[in-house]
């Protein structure tokens, strides 16, 4: 169940310091949105023995894209050694397996097991609930626009 994150709010819904110049800095706004989301997500994922990073690896392992460990590290902006640890943990729990790359036998691809697929589906439902809670001040169209703009800013 998603938890709530409380802030001191002024009349327009923003904390008092949001009226300062830094309150309009995109970097700060993105960092705060991420930090708030991480608290909600990690609380919800605890039920499954996951945290955001391990959930992200599991989600990508369930994607059907057969990601390599290197791709996971690059995409999630993590050090390769962090990916190895995350995959080790998920593998020990029987949620993912490492297999030899199909095009390059030196690479290791990470795939979800059937149990990993089940855990992922349950965890994903909780993550979606957290996202709805975090973006509850936005309409569905605004939330879709936010996602589209973030994707465009990152990968256009």
């Amino acid at each position: 169940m998603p938890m709530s994150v409380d802030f001191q709010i002024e009349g327009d819904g923003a904390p008092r310091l949001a009226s300062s110049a830094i309150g309009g800095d995109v970097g700060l706004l993105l960092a705060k949105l991420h930090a708030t989301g991480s608290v909600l997500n990690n609380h919800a994922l605890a039920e499954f023995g996951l945290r955001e990073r391990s959930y992200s690896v599991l989600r990508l392992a369930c994607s059907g894209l057969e990601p390599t460990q290197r791709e996971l590290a690059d995409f999630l902006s993590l050090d390769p050694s962090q990916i190895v640890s995350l995959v080790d943990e998920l593998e020990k729990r029987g949620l993912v397996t490492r297999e030899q790359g199909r095009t390059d036998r030196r690479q290791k691809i990470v795939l979800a097991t059937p149990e990993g697929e089940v855990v992922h589906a349950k965890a994903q439902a909780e993550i979606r609930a957290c996202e709805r809670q975090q973006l509850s001040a936005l309409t569905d169209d605004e939330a879709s626009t936010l996602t589209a703009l973030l994707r465009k800013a990152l990968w256009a």
Side-chain angles (χ1 to χ4, degrees):
M1 192 76 179
M3 66 179 272
S4 64
V5 178
D6 296 322
F7 298 98
Q8 282 200 309
I9 309 278
E10 279 201 30
D12 67 354
R16 186 177 69 82
L17 296 181
S19 64
S20 70
I22 196 171
D25 288 1
V26 171
L28 173 77
L29 295 170
L30 290 172
K32 290 191 67 54
L33 188 65
H34 177 260
T36 303
S38 290
V39 169
L40 291 170
N41 292 340
N42 285 329
H43 180 74
L45 291 169
E47 167 184 355
F48 306 101
L50 299 169
R51 295 188 54 78
E52 269 190 333
R53 287 181 175 181
S54 55
Y55 170 78
S56 296
V57 170
L58 180 59
R59 182 150 172 75
L60 288 164
C62 290
S63 70
L65 296 174
E66 300 183 347
T68 65
Q69 291 184 154
R70 169 60 67 187
E71 287 176 313
L72 291 170
D74 291 345
F75 186 75
L76 297 173
S77 300
L78 297 173
D79 187 86
S81 65
Q82 293 173 300
I83 291 297
V84 168
S85 294
L86 290 166
V87 174
D88 284 349
E89 171 197 328
L90 293 169
E91 192 172 42
K92 189 181 299 182
R93 293 184 53 202
L95 302 179
V96 302
T97 61
R98 287 182 177 100
E99 294 186 14
Q100 198 169 47
R102 305 212 196 290
T103 57
D104 184 345
R105 297 169 57 92
R106 295 168 296 174
Q107 294 180 331
K108 294 291 185 187
I109 59 174
V110 181
L111 303 171
T113 64
E115 183 179 349
E117 296 275 356
V118 169
V119 170
H120 167 258
K122 292 176 183 176
Q124 183 182 15
E126 290 296 320
I127 291 297
R128 293 283 180 245
C130 289
E131 188 175 285
R132 284 190 302 277
Q133 179 184 350
Q134 186 175 23
L135 300 179
S136 63
L138 303 180
T139 65
D140 288 346
D141 285 344
E142 288 171 333
S144 293
T145 298
L146 175 62
T147 300
L149 290 172
L150 291 171
R151 289 178 60 87
K152 184 175 182 179
L154 285 168
W155 298 307

